[in-house]
Amino acid sequence: MKKSTLRILSSFLGLAALAALAVSGNAVYAQVTNRFTAIPLTLGMNVIKAEVAATEPERQQGLMFRKSMGANEGMVFVFPAPAHVCMWMKNTPLSLSVAFIDEKGEIVNIEDMKPLALDSHCGQKQVRYALEMNVDWFKKKGIKPGTRVEGLPPIQ
C-alpha cells in the first residue's frame, strides 16, 4: 500500500474508534445519571426531596455527571455503620455543600465542595449520613451544625 493510502486508512480507523468511544461514552453517561429513590427530609421549616444512596454502588455513583439539581433537591448518603466519612467531587460538575450527620440526625459540620475537585471533605467525627445540596443551600436557609434532620432512612 502507498503511504497516502495508509494515512487515509489510519485516519478512518481513528475516527471510527472515536465514534465508538463517543457512543459508548453516552451509554455510560446515561447509566450513571440514573435517579435514585427519593424521600422527603425536614430541616427546621425546610422540606427537601433527597435521593437515597444506601448501597456501595449508589454511594460511589452519587451525583456524578449531574449538570443540575432542583433548588430543594439533594442526595443523602447512608453508611452501614458510624464512620469517619470523606466526600469528593470526582466527575461531579455541580457546586455542592455537604452536611455530615450523626446517628441522632444532628448535623456535625458542613463543607462546600468545588466542581470536579478531587480534594476530600470530611466529617469532624464519625457519622451515619451525608447530605449533599446545591452550594450555599445550608447558608441561605440558616442551617448550621447542631440542626436536626428529620425523616432520615432508618439505621438497619
Side-chain angles (χ1 to χ4, degrees), residues 33-36 51 62-68 75 93-94:
T33 57
N34 287 339
R35 301 278 177 171
F36 303 128
E51 292 180 62
L63 292 168
M64 282 187 178
F65 303 105
R66 298 276 181 98
K67 295 187 187 235
S68 65
M75 179 170 282
L94 298 170

Side-chain angles (χ1 to χ4, degrees), residues 86-90 98 100 111-122:
C86 295
M87 309 292 279
W88 66 343
M89 296 289 285
K90 182 177 181 182
V98 58
F100 295 95
E111 302 287 327
D112 292 337
M113 303 186 293
K114 294 181 180 158
L116 306 171
L118 298 181
D119 48 325
S120 293
H121 302 273
C122 304

Side-chain angles (χ1 to χ4, degrees), residues 76-90:
V76 63
F77 294 79
V78 182
F79 300 97
H84 290 284
V85 172
C86 295
M87 309 292 279
W88 66 343
M89 296 289 285
K90 182 177 181 182

Side-chain angles (χ1 to χ4, degrees), residues 3 5 25 31 40 50 55 82 86-87 94 110 127 129 144 156:
K3 284 187 178 181
T5 305
Q31 182 182 8
T55 66
C86 295
M87 309 292 279
L94 298 170
I110 300 169
V127 297
Y129 307 94
K144 300 178 185 319
Q156 309 216 353

Side-chain angles (χ1 to χ4, degrees), residues 3-17:
K3 284 187 178 181
S4 62
T5 305
L6 284 174
R7 274 191 225 129
I8 292 170
L9 182 58
S10 77
S11 294
F12 174 75
L13 290 174
L15 288 173

Side-chain angles (χ1 to χ4, degrees), residues 8-113:
I8 292 170
L9 182 58
S10 77
S11 294
F12 174 75
L13 290 174
L15 288 173
L18 285 174
L21 183 60
V23 169
S24 67
N26 284 340
V28 170
Y29 179 81
Q31 182 182 8
V32 296
T33 57
N34 287 339
R35 301 278 177 171
F36 303 128
T37 301
I39 60 171
L41 296 179
T42 306
L43 293 87
M45 295 177 51
N46 303 284
V47 178
I48 63 167
K49 178 181 173 184
E51 292 180 62
V52 179
T55 66
E56 186 62 28
E58 290 171 342
R59 288 189 298 270
Q60 287 177 1
Q61 177 183 324
L63 292 168
M64 282 187 178
F65 303 105
R66 298 276 181 98
K67 295 187 187 235
S68 65
M69 193 164 55
N72 288 311
E73 293 179 355
M75 179 170 282
V76 63
F77 294 79
V78 182
F79 300 97
H84 290 284
V85 172
C86 295
M87 309 292 279
W88 66 343
M89 296 289 285
K90 182 177 181 182
N91 299 321
T92 308
L94 298 170
S95 293
L96 298 173
S97 295
V98 58
F100 295 95
I101 305 165
D102 67 16
E103 283 187 296
K104 297 179 286 184
E106 289 183 11
I107 295 176
V108 173
N109 62 299
I110 300 169
E111 302 287 327
D112 292 337
M113 303 186 293

